[in-house]
Amino acid sequence: MARFLVAPQWQGSPAPRAMLLVDGASAIAGDLPRKASTVLDVPLEAGDSLGTRVHRLSSLQRVRELIAQEIAAETVLIGGDCSVTVAALDAIDREDIAVVWCDAHPDLHTPETSPSGAFSGMALRAVLGEGEPQLALSPGVARDRVITVGARVVDDEEEEPLAGLTQLSVDDLDDVDALAEAVAATGASRVWVHIDVDVLDPSELAGVSSAAPFGVSTSALSAAIRALRTRIPLAGATIAGFAPRSADDAVEDLGAILRLVGAVA
């Protein structure tokens, strides 16, 4: 049975209603097997930038410590904002790993280019080992082992770093084996799958802070991940970015999210 680690961190998000991510993580946790789930006691306070250009850095560091204490092999991490994946990868052996980043946004800003100062928009750049030294992986994951899926809202400053990565579009997932083949081509023997639920089309899931049209379907993404798992073992996975505006909205969206949970778990 998969192990679930729930990290309801909101401090990495740029959204005005970032604390809805706490509600989203809690809603998902309510449908997970209790004996296989651990919910982290994430601080609610914003925290301090500690003289850097990353907002709420002190709280991000505290959550990083909590994740490091609880992470284990084949854990499914439930966010919270996207940057929890950086903390998880920092705490595991990365030597033979590939990273699949499913997100409408590539999250490739640095503190110098970020318009918000929010770490979630820098998360994949930190996975590559770049950005704020207190948060970036060291060593980072090699560029030829990082694959983005469904990125379609790209800032000008993100275009150059994105061009150096393998990219799969929404349409590429019409081929159920495309993701598995892309990961196999990296030569990695394990893979971490990161899913920000805004990669899905808004018609499939409404509870995100910044919806992006023309996204992937739940069925296509789930099928691609299942096909990937038949070829390459998962080192772990993240499902993040769920921010329902009400309890009723959460219920409406949980069907799609639980399909993704089933795909990675």
mmCIF file of all heavy atoms in Angstrom, residues 170 173-177 179 195 199-201 203-205 215-228 255-263:
data_model
loop_
_atom_site.group_PDB
_atom_site.id
_atom_site.type_symbol
_atom_site.label_atom_id
_atom_site.label_comp_id
_atom_site.label_asym_id
_atom_site.label_seq_id
_atom_site.Cartn_x
_atom_site.Cartn_y
_atom_site.Cartn_z
ATOM 1 N N VAL A 170 -0.225 19.029 -24.118
ATOM 2 C CA VAL A 170 -1.500 18.362 -23.839
ATOM 3 C C VAL A 170 -1.819 17.360 -24.943
ATOM 4 O O VAL A 170 -2.211 16.215 -24.672
ATOM 5 C CB VAL A 170 -2.623 19.408 -23.705
ATOM 6 C CG1 VAL A 170 -3.990 18.733 -23.649
ATOM 7 C CG2 VAL A 170 -2.399 20.277 -22.464
ATOM 8 N N LEU A 173 -0.229 13.763 -25.060
ATOM 9 C CA LEU A 173 -0.761 12.687 -24.224
ATOM 10 C C LEU A 173 -1.874 11.909 -24.910
ATOM 11 O O LEU A 173 -2.396 10.945 -24.329
ATOM 12 C CB LEU A 173 -1.246 13.244 -22.887
ATOM 13 C CG LEU A 173 -0.174 13.796 -21.943
ATOM 14 C CD1 LEU A 173 -0.753 14.000 -20.554
ATOM 15 C CD2 LEU A 173 1.047 12.910 -21.874
ATOM 16 N N ASP A 174 -2.234 12.299 -26.142
ATOM 17 C CA ASP A 174 -3.147 11.451 -26.914
ATOM 18 C C ASP A 174 -2.521 10.085 -27.165
ATOM 19 O O ASP A 174 -3.224 9.095 -27.360
ATOM 20 C CB ASP A 174 -3.484 12.118 -28.255
ATOM 21 C CG ASP A 174 -4.360 13.354 -28.085
ATOM 22 O OD1 ASP A 174 -4.969 13.511 -27.007
ATOM 23 O OD2 ASP A 174 -4.435 14.157 -29.036
ATOM 24 N N ASP A 175 -1.187 10.047 -27.177
ATOM 25 C CA ASP A 175 -0.458 8.777 -27.240
ATOM 26 C C ASP A 175 -0.189 8.342 -25.810
ATOM 27 O O ASP A 175 0.610 8.964 -25.099
ATOM 28 C CB ASP A 175 0.857 8.972 -27.994
ATOM 29 C CG ASP A 175 1.712 7.720 -28.046
ATOM 30 O OD1 ASP A 175 1.327 6.696 -27.437
ATOM 31 O OD2 ASP A 175 2.791 7.767 -28.661
ATOM 32 N N VAL A 176 -0.835 7.303 -25.364
ATOM 33 C CA VAL A 176 -0.763 6.900 -23.966
ATOM 34 C C VAL A 176 0.647 6.528 -23.540
ATOM 35 O O VAL A 176 1.002 6.597 -22.355
ATOM 36 C CB VAL A 176 -1.743 5.735 -23.692
ATOM 37 C CG1 VAL A 176 -1.242 4.448 -24.343
ATOM 38 C CG2 VAL A 176 -1.975 5.531 -22.200
ATOM 39 N N ASP A 177 1.504 6.163 -24.490
ATOM 40 C CA ASP A 177 2.867 5.755 -24.151
ATOM 41 C C ASP A 177 3.884 6.886 -24.252
ATOM 42 O O ASP A 177 5.075 6.674 -23.978
ATOM 43 C CB ASP A 177 3.308 4.614 -25.074
ATOM 44 C CG ASP A 177 2.496 3.344 -24.851
ATOM 45 O OD1 ASP A 177 2.284 2.997 -23.666
ATOM 46 O OD2 ASP A 177 2.069 2.725 -25.835
ATOM 47 N N LEU A 179 4.529 9.570 -22.477
ATOM 48 C CA LEU A 179 5.211 9.929 -21.243
ATOM 49 C C LEU A 179 6.214 8.850 -20.850
ATOM 50 O O LEU A 179 7.367 9.158 -20.502
ATOM 51 C CB LEU A 179 4.203 10.155 -20.122
ATOM 52 C CG LEU A 179 4.782 10.514 -18.749
ATOM 53 C CD1 LEU A 179 5.634 11.776 -18.832
ATOM 54 C CD2 LEU A 179 3.665 10.681 -17.726
ATOM 55 N N ILE A 195 2.308 16.547 -9.857
ATOM 56 C CA ILE A 195 1.076 16.987 -10.515
ATOM 57 C C ILE A 195 0.514 18.196 -9.779
ATOM 58 O O ILE A 195 0.066 18.099 -8.632
ATOM 59 C CB ILE A 195 -0.001 15.883 -10.533
ATOM 60 C CG1 ILE A 195 0.520 14.611 -11.194
ATOM 61 C CG2 ILE A 195 -1.262 16.387 -11.251
ATOM 62 C CD1 ILE A 195 -0.415 13.422 -11.031
ATOM 63 N N VAL A 199 -2.926 21.552 -14.169
ATOM 64 C CA VAL A 199 -2.602 20.983 -15.483
ATOM 65 C C VAL A 199 -3.848 20.439 -16.161
ATOM 66 O O VAL A 199 -3.909 20.326 -17.387
ATOM 67 C CB VAL A 199 -1.525 19.876 -15.341
ATOM 68 C CG1 VAL A 199 -2.125 18.589 -14.760
ATOM 69 C CG2 VAL A 199 -0.851 19.589 -16.684
ATOM 70 N N LEU A 200 -4.866 20.122 -15.357
ATOM 71 C CA LEU A 200 -6.123 19.615 -15.902
ATOM 72 C C LEU A 200 -6.916 20.749 -16.548
ATOM 73 O O LEU A 200 -6.803 21.916 -16.178
ATOM 74 C CB LEU A 200 -6.970 18.974 -14.802
ATOM 75 C CG LEU A 200 -6.379 17.764 -14.087
ATOM 76 C CD1 LEU A 200 -7.323 17.305 -12.984
ATOM 77 C CD2 LEU A 200 -6.112 16.620 -15.062
ATOM 78 N N ASP A 201 -7.748 20.383 -17.503
ATOM 79 C CA ASP A 201 -8.634 21.364 -18.105
ATOM 80 C C ASP A 201 -9.643 21.859 -17.066
ATOM 81 O O ASP A 201 -10.142 21.064 -16.252
ATOM 82 C CB ASP A 201 -9.378 20.742 -19.287
ATOM 83 C CG ASP A 201 -10.105 21.797 -20.094
ATOM 84 O OD1 ASP A 201 -9.454 22.440 -20.933
ATOM 85 O OD2 ASP A 201 -11.317 21.989 -19.867
ATOM 86 N N SER A 203 -12.637 22.414 -17.228
ATOM 87 C CA SER A 203 -13.914 21.703 -17.294
ATOM 88 C C SER A 203 -13.902 20.437 -16.446
ATOM 89 O O SER A 203 -14.953 19.892 -16.106
ATOM 90 C CB SER A 203 -14.247 21.346 -18.745
ATOM 91 O OG SER A 203 -13.312 20.409 -19.265
ATOM 92 N N GLU A 204 -12.709 19.959 -16.109
ATOM 93 C CA GLU A 204 -12.577 18.736 -15.321
ATOM 94 C C GLU A 204 -12.422 19.020 -13.832
ATOM 95 O O GLU A 204 -12.728 18.174 -13.001
ATOM 96 C CB GLU A 204 -11.355 17.953 -15.800
ATOM 97 C CG GLU A 204 -11.351 17.637 -17.282
ATOM 98 C CD GLU A 204 -11.413 16.157 -17.553
ATOM 99 O OE1 GLU A 204 -11.085 15.371 -16.658
ATOM 100 O OE2 GLU A 204 -11.803 15.793 -18.675
ATOM 101 N N LEU A 205 -11.899 20.215 -13.494
ATOM 102 C CA LEU A 205 -11.628 20.540 -12.098
ATOM 103 C C LEU A 205 -11.588 22.056 -11.959
ATOM 104 O O LEU A 205 -10.843 22.719 -12.676
ATOM 105 C CB LEU A 205 -10.307 19.903 -11.664
ATOM 106 C CG LEU A 205 -9.936 20.042 -10.188
ATOM 107 C CD1 LEU A 205 -9.290 18.750 -9.676
ATOM 108 C CD2 LEU A 205 -8.975 21.211 -9.994
ATOM 109 N N GLY A 215 -6.486 22.440 -21.027
ATOM 110 C CA GLY A 215 -5.632 21.533 -20.271
ATOM 111 C C GLY A 215 -5.865 20.078 -20.629
ATOM 112 O O GLY A 215 -6.686 19.724 -21.479
ATOM 113 N N VAL A 216 -5.123 19.221 -19.946
ATOM 114 C CA VAL A 216 -5.206 17.789 -20.173
ATOM 115 C C VAL A 216 -6.442 17.221 -19.479
ATOM 116 O O VAL A 216 -6.946 17.796 -18.504
ATOM 117 C CB VAL A 216 -3.916 17.102 -19.667
ATOM 118 C CG1 VAL A 216 -3.835 17.151 -18.150
ATOM 119 C CG2 VAL A 216 -3.823 15.670 -20.157
ATOM 120 N N SER A 217 -6.957 16.128 -19.974
ATOM 121 C CA SER A 217 -8.084 15.466 -19.312
ATOM 122 C C SER A 217 -7.566 14.553 -18.207
ATOM 123 O O SER A 217 -6.437 14.062 -18.256
ATOM 124 C CB SER A 217 -8.897 14.647 -20.317
ATOM 125 O OG SER A 217 -8.162 13.517 -20.759
ATOM 126 N N THR A 218 -8.402 14.330 -17.204
ATOM 127 C CA THR A 218 -8.036 13.428 -16.121
ATOM 128 C C THR A 218 -7.749 12.029 -16.656
ATOM 129 O O THR A 218 -6.793 11.374 -16.230
ATOM 130 C CB THR A 218 -9.161 13.366 -15.083
ATOM 131 O OG1 THR A 218 -9.559 14.680 -14.714
ATOM 132 C CG2 THR A 218 -8.724 12.600 -13.844
ATOM 133 N N SER A 219 -8.565 11.579 -17.592
ATOM 134 C CA SER A 219 -8.383 10.223 -18.116
ATOM 135 C C SER A 219 -7.064 10.089 -18.867
ATOM 136 O O SER A 219 -6.349 9.081 -18.720
ATOM 137 C CB SER A 219 -9.558 9.847 -19.025
ATOM 138 O OG SER A 219 -9.680 10.749 -20.104
ATOM 139 N N ALA A 220 -6.702 11.098 -19.672
ATOM 140 C CA ALA A 220 -5.453 11.018 -20.433
ATOM 141 C C ALA A 220 -4.245 11.048 -19.512
ATOM 142 O O ALA A 220 -3.290 10.276 -19.703
ATOM 143 C CB ALA A 220 -5.380 12.157 -21.442
ATOM 144 N N LEU A 221 -4.261 11.915 -18.515
ATOM 145 C CA LEU A 221 -3.122 11.996 -17.603
ATOM 146 C C LEU A 221 -3.011 10.730 -16.761
ATOM 147 O O LEU A 221 -1.907 10.185 -16.585
ATOM 148 C CB LEU A 221 -3.254 13.226 -16.707
ATOM 149 C CG LEU A 221 -2.091 13.481 -15.749
ATOM 150 C CD1 LEU A 221 -0.772 13.602 -16.500
ATOM 151 C CD2 LEU A 221 -2.357 14.727 -14.910
ATOM 152 N N SER A 222 -4.130 10.229 -16.269
ATOM 153 C CA SER A 222 -4.101 9.004 -15.469
ATOM 154 C C SER A 222 -3.593 7.821 -16.281
ATOM 155 O O SER A 222 -2.768 7.028 -15.805
ATOM 156 C CB SER A 222 -5.496 8.692 -14.927
ATOM 157 O OG SER A 222 -5.961 9.721 -14.082
ATOM 158 N N ALA A 223 -4.039 7.716 -17.508
ATOM 159 C CA ALA A 223 -3.598 6.618 -18.359
ATOM 160 C C ALA A 223 -2.106 6.706 -18.657
ATOM 161 O O ALA A 223 -1.390 5.695 -18.661
ATOM 162 C CB ALA A 223 -4.396 6.607 -19.657
ATOM 163 N N ALA A 224 -1.625 7.930 -18.896
ATOM 164 C CA ALA A 224 -0.197 8.109 -19.177
ATOM 165 C C ALA A 224 0.657 7.726 -17.974
ATOM 166 O O ALA A 224 1.724 7.100 -18.129
ATOM 167 C CB ALA A 224 0.069 9.558 -19.578
ATOM 168 N N ILE A 225 0.208 8.083 -16.785
ATOM 169 C CA ILE A 225 0.968 7.742 -15.581
ATOM 170 C C ILE A 225 0.945 6.243 -15.330
ATOM 171 O O ILE A 225 1.960 5.633 -14.965
ATOM 172 C CB ILE A 225 0.418 8.517 -14.374
ATOM 173 C CG1 ILE A 225 0.697 10.013 -14.551
ATOM 174 C CG2 ILE A 225 1.034 8.016 -13.071
ATOM 175 C CD1 ILE A 225 -0.016 10.889 -13.550
ATOM 176 N N ARG A 226 -0.193 5.612 -15.543
ATOM 177 C CA ARG A 226 -0.266 4.160 -15.363
ATOM 178 C C ARG A 226 0.657 3.443 -16.357
ATOM 179 O O ARG A 226 1.333 2.470 -16.005
ATOM 180 C CB ARG A 226 -1.709 3.681 -15.518
ATOM 181 C CG ARG A 226 -2.622 4.123 -14.382
ATOM 182 C CD ARG A 226 -4.032 3.597 -14.562
ATOM 183 N NE ARG A 226 -4.946 4.123 -13.574
ATOM 184 C CZ ARG A 226 -5.091 3.658 -12.339
ATOM 185 N NH1 ARG A 226 -4.358 2.617 -11.952
ATOM 186 N NH2 ARG A 226 -5.955 4.203 -11.499
ATOM 187 N N ALA A 227 0.692 3.933 -17.592
ATOM 188 C CA ALA A 227 1.591 3.338 -18.581
ATOM 189 C C ALA A 227 3.047 3.545 -18.178
ATOM 190 O O ALA A 227 3.895 2.657 -18.355
ATOM 191 C CB ALA A 227 1.322 3.941 -19.957
ATOM 192 N N LEU A 228 3.357 4.708 -17.632
ATOM 193 C CA LEU A 228 4.708 4.986 -17.151
ATOM 194 C C LEU A 228 5.102 4.008 -16.058
ATOM 195 O O LEU A 228 6.225 3.471 -16.060
ATOM 196 C CB LEU A 228 4.770 6.424 -16.634
ATOM 197 C CG LEU A 228 6.024 6.848 -15.870
ATOM 198 C CD1 LEU A 228 7.255 6.752 -16.754
ATOM 199 C CD2 LEU A 228 5.845 8.258 -15.317
ATOM 200 N N GLY A 255 -13.615 13.697 -7.322
ATOM 201 C CA GLY A 255 -13.605 12.543 -8.225
ATOM 202 C C GLY A 255 -12.397 12.555 -9.135
ATOM 203 O O GLY A 255 -11.694 11.545 -9.294
ATOM 204 N N ALA A 256 -12.119 13.706 -9.735
ATOM 205 C CA ALA A 256 -10.962 13.822 -10.625
ATOM 206 C C ALA A 256 -9.665 13.640 -9.854
ATOM 207 O O ALA A 256 -8.739 12.950 -10.312
ATOM 208 C CB ALA A 256 -10.976 15.179 -11.324
ATOM 209 N N ILE A 257 -9.579 14.236 -8.680
ATOM 210 C CA ILE A 257 -8.343 14.140 -7.905
ATOM 211 C C ILE A 257 -8.090 12.708 -7.457
ATOM 212 O O ILE A 257 -6.952 12.215 -7.508
ATOM 213 C CB ILE A 257 -8.400 15.105 -6.714
ATOM 214 C CG1 ILE A 257 -8.272 16.540 -7.228
ATOM 215 C CG2 ILE A 257 -7.298 14.801 -5.709
ATOM 216 C CD1 ILE A 257 -8.324 17.592 -6.180
ATOM 217 N N LEU A 258 -9.112 12.011 -7.051
ATOM 218 C CA LEU A 258 -8.919 10.640 -6.574
ATOM 219 C C LEU A 258 -8.530 9.709 -7.721
ATOM 220 O O LEU A 258 -7.846 8.707 -7.513
ATOM 221 C CB LEU A 258 -10.165 10.141 -5.854
ATOM 222 C CG LEU A 258 -10.449 10.855 -4.531
ATOM 223 C CD1 LEU A 258 -11.745 10.362 -3.917
ATOM 224 C CD2 LEU A 258 -9.293 10.667 -3.550
ATOM 225 N N ARG A 259 -8.916 10.059 -8.948
ATOM 226 C CA ARG A 259 -8.418 9.284 -10.105
ATOM 227 C C ARG A 259 -6.920 9.464 -10.252
ATOM 228 O O ARG A 259 -6.188 8.519 -10.581
ATOM 229 C CB ARG A 259 -9.148 9.691 -11.374
ATOM 230 C CG ARG A 259 -10.595 9.232 -11.432
ATOM 231 C CD ARG A 259 -11.244 9.611 -12.754
ATOM 232 N NE ARG A 259 -10.684 8.861 -13.865
ATOM 233 C CZ ARG A 259 -11.033 9.040 -15.149
ATOM 234 N NH1 ARG A 259 -11.918 9.973 -15.443
ATOM 235 N NH2 ARG A 259 -10.498 8.316 -16.093
ATOM 236 N N LEU A 260 -6.439 10.671 -10.010
ATOM 237 C CA LEU A 260 -4.997 10.904 -10.071
ATOM 238 C C LEU A 260 -4.281 10.210 -8.924
ATOM 239 O O LEU A 260 -3.189 9.652 -9.106
ATOM 240 C CB LEU A 260 -4.715 12.413 -10.023
ATOM 241 C CG LEU A 260 -5.260 13.231 -11.201
ATOM 242 C CD1 LEU A 260 -4.959 14.719 -10.969
ATOM 243 C CD2 LEU A 260 -4.683 12.760 -12.528
ATOM 244 N N VAL A 261 -4.883 10.240 -7.745
ATOM 245 C CA VAL A 261 -4.312 9.518 -6.605
ATOM 246 C C VAL A 261 -4.193 8.033 -6.949
ATOM 247 O O VAL A 261 -3.155 7.395 -6.702
ATOM 248 C CB VAL A 261 -5.160 9.718 -5.335
ATOM 249 C CG1 VAL A 261 -4.689 8.785 -4.232
ATOM 250 C CG2 VAL A 261 -5.100 11.160 -4.858
ATOM 251 N N GLY A 262 -5.239 7.486 -7.552
ATOM 252 C CA GLY A 262 -5.191 6.075 -7.919
ATOM 253 C C GLY A 262 -4.116 5.781 -8.956
ATOM 254 O O GLY A 262 -3.481 4.719 -8.912
ATOM 255 N N ALA A 263 -3.868 6.728 -9.843
ATOM 256 C CA ALA A 263 -2.856 6.513 -10.876
ATOM 257 C C ALA A 263 -1.452 6.465 -10.291
ATOM 258 O O ALA A 263 -0.613 5.669 -10.724
ATOM 259 C CB ALA A 263 -2.950 7.616 -11.929
#
